Amino acid sequence: TQRDATILVLGRFNDYALQRLSREFRVRTIERGDAALVEAGWAADVKGIASMWEVNAGLIDALPNLEIVGNFGVGYDAVDVKHASANNIMITNTPDVLTEEVADTAIGLLIDTVRELSQSQLYLREGRWAKEGAYPLSKLSLRDRKVGIFGLGRIGKAVARRIEAFGLPIAYHNRRKVADVSYEYYPSLPELAAAVDTLILVAPGGAETANAVNAQVLKALGPDGVLINVGRGTLVDETALAEALENGTIAAAGLDVFADEPHVSQALLDAPNTVLLPHIASASHKTRQAMADLVIDNLISWFDTGKALTPVPETAHVTSK
Ligand code: NDP
């Protein structure tokens, strides 16, 4: 039976998620998290939000009985957590259920970037193998690389476990040293970049990490440097990155995330030695279904028991009304 609460869905939730959510709650959908799309006739009915993207202060203020925002994704930099926390609104995210999938994609992107798999496939499909002979030897190799991980959290550790199997040394930078790993710790990102030649970004977005990978960090990474980003586009100064690729300051980059998605800057599209993916790191049916289930399970748990399953740390203190 449906609960006595309306869940506002922002943007496109997948069909499976919408169907399941509709069995449990009344559902209303608006195109995006814009307070101007909220109507006076139903604003007061909304007690929860299910969102794949932005939830700003204006939207939160437009919904007087809002109790919880279920963010579809582990990264919640698009949700105004401070405002939610101040207004006793619970925010949940989807940790763990996507960790291994995202780590798999990060490794795929790394190998593609270093060994030019996509580029060489294009060569075959364009008929150039038969006409021009063997594809040129790749300039780069994974052999003898040293890998740095920016953001050794759930996903970062899953990436590190895979890199260990490749026989490569690992170092990392977080704000805090991780207790249960033996990887080398660097207290700053420039120091990490200087110590490695392969930098994998899996840190969260938001103001604190904005443009963390700047011209200085790219220079420190060096001419054999490979940058892989599966964290957030905002982690990287994209103008500096395009210049670094163009000038040979670093060797190559593989990116799954961009500063202004779904738009990718022309400078990056034009830059040499790049593999660019449309934010697909968690995007399999299997994993997206697990994420949808966790969003919905959080909403159900909140309205049935007053407790969320996976609250983000900033709203762990929030209590149900
Ligand atoms: P975790 O919270 O487990 O890990 C985040 C790590 O980043 C922690 O080790 C944390 O360590 C570190 N970190 C956070 N802030 C900073 C900072 N200011 N400076 C240095 N290090 C920092 O998250 P997950 O591993 O589950 O997810 C990580 C991110 O991956 C998400 O936030 C999301 O943006 C991205 N992601 C991207 C996907 C995609 O589709 N491309 C899919 C899923 C996730 P400490 O607190 O000690 O600093």
Side-chain angles (χ1 to χ4, degrees):
T1 52
Q2 259 190 357
R3 286 162 189 78
D4 182 30
T6 294
I7 304 300
L8 184 63
V9 173
L10 307 181
R12 230 190 260 169
F13 220 21
N14 62 51
D15 290 343
Y16 164 83
L18 265 184
Q19 279 172 19
R20 180 170 173 222
L21 193 61
S22 307
R23 285 196 297 272
E24 307 287 349
F25 298 96
R26 288 191 301 273
V27 173
R28 189 174 282 282
T29 301
I30 56 177
E31 212 175 299
R32 58 182 185 282
D34 181 351
L37 301 175
V38 173
E39 291 169 24
W42 50 261
D45 301 338
V46 175
K47 292 186 181 167
I49 287 178
S51 170
M52 286 194 69
W53 199 226
E54 190 180 349
V55 177
N56 57 34
L59 181 68
I60 290 172
D61 292 343
L63 302 167
N65 295 314
L66 183 65
E67 294 181 30
I68 178 169
V69 177
N71 182 68
F72 185 94
V74 69
Y76 50 95
D77 45 309
V79 179
D80 191 334
V81 196
K82 229 173 144 183
H83 194 71
S85 167
N87 287 280
N88 201 46
I89 290 165
M90 171 59 71
I91 310 291
T92 64
N93 65 344
T94 62
D96 301 316
V97 294
L98 44 57
T99 294
E100 303 299 329
E101 191 87 70
V102 174
D104 290 345
T105 312
I107 296 298
L109 181 55
L110 171 65
I111 297 179
D112 192 354
T113 304
V114 170
R115 296 297 330 285
E116 306 175 21
L117 304 186
S118 297
Q119 275 298 111
S120 69
Q121 181 182 189
L122 198 63
Y123 186 86
L124 177 155
R125 288 185 183 278
E126 285 173 345
R128 296 176 62 187
W129 188 13
K131 266 192 233 128
E132 299 172 39
Y135 182 78
L137 306 185
S138 72
K139 288 189 284 296
L140 305 175
S141 167
L142 208 53
R143 294 303 95 212
D144 298 325
R145 284 192 168 270
K146 180 166 180 186
V147 176
I149 297 178
F150 176 39
L152 193 77
R154 288 173 293 249
I155 300 169
K157 283 181 186 166
V159 170
R161 282 201 304 277
R162 287 158 173 74
I163 298 289
E164 275 191 57
F166 293 161
L168 307 179
I170 298 162
Y172 71 100
H173 167 63
N174 280 358
R175 287 166 302 185
R176 286 171 293 270
K177 200 166 184 287
V178 177
D180 58 351
V181 302
S182 56
Y183 314 134
E184 214 176 331
Y185 175 70
Y186 287 88
S188 81
L189 186 57
E191 286 169 277
L192 175 66
V196 302
D197 53 23
T198 308
L199 186 59
I200 302 181
L201 313 181
V202 227
E208 246 192 87
T209 55
N211 289 337
V213 177
N214 54 21
Q216 181 205 357
V217 167
L218 293 166
K219 186 146 189 275
L221 194 56
D224 288 325
V226 172
L227 179 74
I228 302 298
N229 189 5
V230 294
R232 279 289 181 267
T234 53
L235 297 171
V236 177
D237 177 342
E238 291 186 343
T239 308
L241 175 59
E243 269 172 31
L245 289 161
E246 193 62 51
N247 301 336
T249 305
I250 70 164
L255 311 173
D256 182 52
V257 286
F258 301 88
D260 182 28
E261 296 174 10
H263 308 288
V264 177
S265 78
Q266 196 58 44
L268 279 181
L269 290 168
D270 291 343
N273 309 326
T274 54
V275 177
L276 308 176
L277 303 180
H279 202 147
I280 56 154
S282 73
S284 68
H285 275 292
K286 190 178 176 70
T287 292
R288 287 291 170 87
Q289 178 165 331
M291 292 163 65
D293 278 331
L294 188 49
V295 172
I296 297 167
D297 290 343
N298 264 296
L299 294 170
I300 290 174
S301 175
W302 180 258
F303 288 107
D304 288 1
T305 74
K307 292 219 179 341
L309 303 175
T310 51
V312 304
E314 295 91 331
T315 64
H317 66 280
V318 169
T319 51
S320 89
K321 296 183 174 73

